[in-house]
Amino acid sequence: MPEPPKKTNSPNVYNPPNRQEKQQLYTSTDKTVQSTEQNLEITKKIVKTITGLESLKTYPIRDLVKHAEDFGPYLKQQRLETNQVRKFLDAVNQMKVTLAQTNDFSKIEIEVVLLKPKLAYAAARQKAAKPMSDVMSAAIDKVRSTEDFERLVQLIESIIAYHKAEGGK
């Protein structure tokens, strides 16, 4: 019986995958599809939770952290980079400073609402920013006071922290 041809690592030679490699590929693809479906659910779950709140300040902090813990790695998997939402983050940080100086929510209320177009722009430029845009837009709709804004900041900071903890840039 002749020996099967040996695989080479030459870039010019096509080496079809063997049975085990094919099985690994199919298994990996199945897991990726399943993982993507599960991760889409986390976005929907967070948005549903937020839209069900009377105001963002009533978002239970333990739920917020748990959602961020699940959502941060999902954003990493989507290859979200913080520079894709940098304008949004910079605007939030500027509002934090303004609020700390004035202690008057009305001074930043318009800017809070105008965060939504910044998110929409980031999502239009980069598909990976869409889940973040969906969640933050739902949260922004619930911001009506200083306490709501503070909860928004906690949500953003928690998501970014878990994103970075997963190795996100």
Side-chain angles (χ1 to χ4, degrees), residues 140-158:
I140 289 165
D141 287 342
K142 297 293 181 172
V143 176
R144 305 250 189 272
S145 68
T146 299
E147 294 83 6
D148 291 333
F149 179 73
E150 289 168 354
R151 188 66 82 190
L152 176 70
V153 170
Q154 291 168 342
L155 177 62
I156 295 164
E157 289 174 347
S158 297

mmCIF file of all heavy atoms in Angstrom, residues 140-158:
data_model
loop_
_atom_site.group_PDB
_atom_site.id
_atom_site.type_symbol
_atom_site.label_atom_id
_atom_site.label_comp_id
_atom_site.label_asym_id
_atom_site.label_seq_id
_atom_site.Cartn_x
_atom_site.Cartn_y
_atom_site.Cartn_z
ATOM 1 N N ILE A 140 -29.634 56.464 27.987
ATOM 2 C CA ILE A 140 -29.746 57.930 27.865
ATOM 3 C C ILE A 140 -31.211 58.362 27.914
ATOM 4 O O ILE A 140 -31.542 59.392 28.508
ATOM 5 C CB ILE A 140 -29.047 58.413 26.576
ATOM 6 C CG1 ILE A 140 -27.528 58.271 26.738
ATOM 7 C CG2 ILE A 140 -29.426 59.858 26.244
ATOM 8 C CD1 ILE A 140 -26.752 58.377 25.442
ATOM 9 N N ASP A 141 -32.081 57.569 27.324
ATOM 10 C CA ASP A 141 -33.512 57.899 27.351
ATOM 11 C C ASP A 141 -34.066 57.949 28.774
ATOM 12 O O ASP A 141 -35.104 58.574 29.007
ATOM 13 C CB ASP A 141 -34.312 56.879 26.534
ATOM 14 C CG ASP A 141 -34.123 57.052 25.036
ATOM 15 O OD1 ASP A 141 -33.672 58.132 24.603
ATOM 16 O OD2 ASP A 141 -34.427 56.085 24.300
ATOM 17 N N LYS A 142 -33.397 57.312 29.719
ATOM 18 C CA LYS A 142 -33.873 57.259 31.115
ATOM 19 C C LYS A 142 -33.194 58.296 32.013
ATOM 20 O O LYS A 142 -33.463 58.345 33.211
ATOM 21 C CB LYS A 142 -33.650 55.857 31.699
ATOM 22 C CG LYS A 142 -34.436 54.775 30.991
ATOM 23 C CD LYS A 142 -35.924 54.956 31.211
ATOM 24 C CE LYS A 142 -36.733 53.881 30.528
ATOM 25 N NZ LYS A 142 -38.137 53.948 30.892
ATOM 26 N N VAL A 143 -32.300 59.091 31.456
ATOM 27 C CA VAL A 143 -31.576 60.086 32.265
ATOM 28 C C VAL A 143 -32.383 61.373 32.341
ATOM 29 O O VAL A 143 -32.590 62.051 31.339
ATOM 30 C CB VAL A 143 -30.160 60.351 31.693
ATOM 31 C CG1 VAL A 143 -29.456 61.451 32.478
ATOM 32 C CG2 VAL A 143 -29.338 59.079 31.701
ATOM 33 N N ARG A 144 -32.836 61.678 33.578
ATOM 34 C CA ARG A 144 -33.646 62.880 33.803
ATOM 35 C C ARG A 144 -33.173 63.686 35.019
ATOM 36 O O ARG A 144 -33.757 64.695 35.359
ATOM 37 C CB ARG A 144 -35.105 62.496 34.034
ATOM 38 C CG ARG A 144 -35.724 61.659 32.944
ATOM 39 C CD ARG A 144 -36.744 62.462 32.170
ATOM 40 N NE ARG A 144 -37.520 61.645 31.238
ATOM 41 C CZ ARG A 144 -37.139 61.395 29.997
ATOM 42 N NH1 ARG A 144 -35.994 61.834 29.561
ATOM 43 N NH2 ARG A 144 -37.896 60.673 29.189
ATOM 44 N N SER A 145 -32.133 63.189 35.687
ATOM 45 C CA SER A 145 -31.660 63.868 36.904
ATOM 46 C C SER A 145 -30.170 63.581 37.097
ATOM 47 O O SER A 145 -29.587 62.742 36.396
ATOM 48 C CB SER A 145 -32.433 63.351 38.126
ATOM 49 O OG SER A 145 -32.091 61.988 38.373
ATOM 50 N N THR A 146 -29.604 64.252 38.081
ATOM 51 C CA THR A 146 -28.195 64.027 38.418
ATOM 52 C C THR A 146 -27.966 62.577 38.806
ATOM 53 O O THR A 146 -26.978 61.961 38.379
ATOM 54 C CB THR A 146 -27.769 64.961 39.584
ATOM 55 O OG1 THR A 146 -27.935 66.318 39.155
ATOM 56 C CG2 THR A 146 -26.334 64.730 39.995
ATOM 57 N N GLU A 147 -28.862 62.003 39.589
ATOM 58 C CA GLU A 147 -28.716 60.606 40.022
ATOM 59 C C GLU A 147 -28.767 59.652 38.829
ATOM 60 O O GLU A 147 -28.012 58.681 38.780
ATOM 61 C CB GLU A 147 -29.804 60.227 41.034
ATOM 62 C CG GLU A 147 -29.713 60.959 42.355
ATOM 63 C CD GLU A 147 -30.369 62.349 42.326
ATOM 64 O OE1 GLU A 147 -31.011 62.726 41.311
ATOM 65 O OE2 GLU A 147 -30.230 63.082 43.320
ATOM 66 N N ASP A 148 -29.643 59.945 37.873
ATOM 67 C CA ASP A 148 -29.707 59.133 36.655
ATOM 68 C C ASP A 148 -28.394 59.232 35.877
ATOM 69 O O ASP A 148 -27.869 58.226 35.384
ATOM 70 C CB ASP A 148 -30.852 59.586 35.742
ATOM 71 C CG ASP A 148 -32.231 59.289 36.294
ATOM 72 O OD1 ASP A 148 -32.382 58.332 37.091
ATOM 73 O OD2 ASP A 148 -33.169 60.012 35.919
ATOM 74 N N PHE A 149 -27.873 60.458 35.759
ATOM 75 C CA PHE A 149 -26.618 60.652 35.037
ATOM 76 C C PHE A 149 -25.483 59.906 35.725
ATOM 77 O O PHE A 149 -24.657 59.270 35.061
ATOM 78 C CB PHE A 149 -26.281 62.146 34.917
ATOM 79 C CG PHE A 149 -24.977 62.391 34.203
ATOM 80 C CD1 PHE A 149 -24.881 62.207 32.827
ATOM 81 C CD2 PHE A 149 -23.844 62.778 34.908
ATOM 82 C CE1 PHE A 149 -23.670 62.414 32.166
ATOM 83 C CE2 PHE A 149 -22.641 62.991 34.256
ATOM 84 C CZ PHE A 149 -22.552 62.812 32.880
ATOM 85 N N GLU A 150 -25.447 59.954 37.052
ATOM 86 C CA GLU A 150 -24.404 59.229 37.793
ATOM 87 C C GLU A 150 -24.495 57.722 37.544
ATOM 88 O O GLU A 150 -23.486 57.045 37.403
ATOM 89 C CB GLU A 150 -24.495 59.549 39.288
ATOM 90 C CG GLU A 150 -24.054 60.966 39.603
ATOM 91 C CD GLU A 150 -24.390 61.416 41.019
ATOM 92 O OE1 GLU A 150 -25.078 60.683 41.766
ATOM 93 O OE2 GLU A 150 -23.959 62.529 41.385
ATOM 94 N N ARG A 151 -25.718 57.199 37.443
ATOM 95 C CA ARG A 151 -25.899 55.770 37.155
ATOM 96 C C ARG A 151 -25.443 55.471 35.718
ATOM 97 O O ARG A 151 -24.853 54.430 35.457
ATOM 98 C CB ARG A 151 -27.350 55.364 37.370
ATOM 99 C CG ARG A 151 -27.582 53.874 37.275
ATOM 100 C CD ARG A 151 -26.899 53.102 38.387
ATOM 101 N NE ARG A 151 -27.751 53.165 39.542
ATOM 102 C CZ ARG A 151 -27.414 52.775 40.753
ATOM 103 N NH1 ARG A 151 -26.248 52.250 40.979
ATOM 104 N NH2 ARG A 151 -28.229 52.896 41.763
ATOM 105 N N LEU A 152 -25.697 56.392 34.790
ATOM 106 C CA LEU A 152 -25.222 56.232 33.415
ATOM 107 C C LEU A 152 -23.699 56.131 33.389
ATOM 108 O O LEU A 152 -23.131 55.254 32.726
ATOM 109 C CB LEU A 152 -25.690 57.395 32.540
ATOM 110 C CG LEU A 152 -25.172 57.404 31.097
ATOM 111 C CD1 LEU A 152 -25.815 56.286 30.291
ATOM 112 C CD2 LEU A 152 -25.438 58.759 30.440
ATOM 113 N N VAL A 153 -23.050 57.002 34.123
ATOM 114 C CA VAL A 153 -21.589 56.991 34.192
ATOM 115 C C VAL A 153 -21.104 55.664 34.785
ATOM 116 O O VAL A 153 -20.142 55.059 34.284
ATOM 117 C CB VAL A 153 -21.055 58.190 35.009
ATOM 118 C CG1 VAL A 153 -19.573 58.064 35.301
ATOM 119 C CG2 VAL A 153 -21.358 59.494 34.272
ATOM 120 N N GLN A 154 -21.760 55.185 35.835
ATOM 121 C CA GLN A 154 -21.385 53.894 36.428
ATOM 122 C C GLN A 154 -21.529 52.760 35.411
ATOM 123 O O GLN A 154 -20.678 51.870 35.340
ATOM 124 C CB GLN A 154 -22.248 53.602 37.662
ATOM 125 C CG GLN A 154 -21.970 54.506 38.828
ATOM 126 C CD GLN A 154 -23.022 54.400 39.923
ATOM 127 O OE1 GLN A 154 -24.132 53.912 39.711
ATOM 128 N NE2 GLN A 154 -22.662 54.871 41.124
ATOM 129 N N LEU A 155 -22.593 52.810 34.624
ATOM 130 C CA LEU A 155 -22.810 51.781 33.607
ATOM 131 C C LEU A 155 -21.693 51.819 32.560
ATOM 132 O O LEU A 155 -21.087 50.788 32.246
ATOM 133 C CB LEU A 155 -24.178 51.972 32.938
ATOM 134 C CG LEU A 155 -24.523 51.016 31.801
ATOM 135 C CD1 LEU A 155 -24.569 49.577 32.288
ATOM 136 C CD2 LEU A 155 -25.853 51.409 31.162
ATOM 137 N N ILE A 156 -21.402 52.992 32.051
ATOM 138 C CA ILE A 156 -20.356 53.139 31.032
ATOM 139 C C ILE A 156 -19.014 52.673 31.577
ATOM 140 O O ILE A 156 -18.299 51.886 30.941
ATOM 141 C CB ILE A 156 -20.246 54.610 30.565
ATOM 142 C CG1 ILE A 156 -21.525 55.037 29.870
ATOM 143 C CG2 ILE A 156 -19.031 54.809 29.669
ATOM 144 C CD1 ILE A 156 -21.671 56.534 29.723
ATOM 145 N N GLU A 157 -18.661 53.159 32.764
ATOM 146 C CA GLU A 157 -17.359 52.801 33.341
ATOM 147 C C GLU A 157 -17.250 51.309 33.616
ATOM 148 O O GLU A 157 -16.198 50.709 33.411
ATOM 149 C CB GLU A 157 -17.110 53.620 34.611
ATOM 150 C CG GLU A 157 -16.848 55.091 34.314
ATOM 151 C CD GLU A 157 -16.728 55.964 35.553
ATOM 152 O OE1 GLU A 157 -17.088 55.512 36.672
ATOM 153 O OE2 GLU A 157 -16.281 57.121 35.406
ATOM 154 N N SER A 158 -18.350 50.698 34.045
ATOM 155 C CA SER A 158 -18.339 49.255 34.310
ATOM 156 C C SER A 158 -18.157 48.458 33.025
ATOM 157 O O SER A 158 -17.369 47.512 32.976
ATOM 158 C CB SER A 158 -19.641 48.825 34.996
ATOM 159 O OG SER A 158 -19.768 49.458 36.245
#
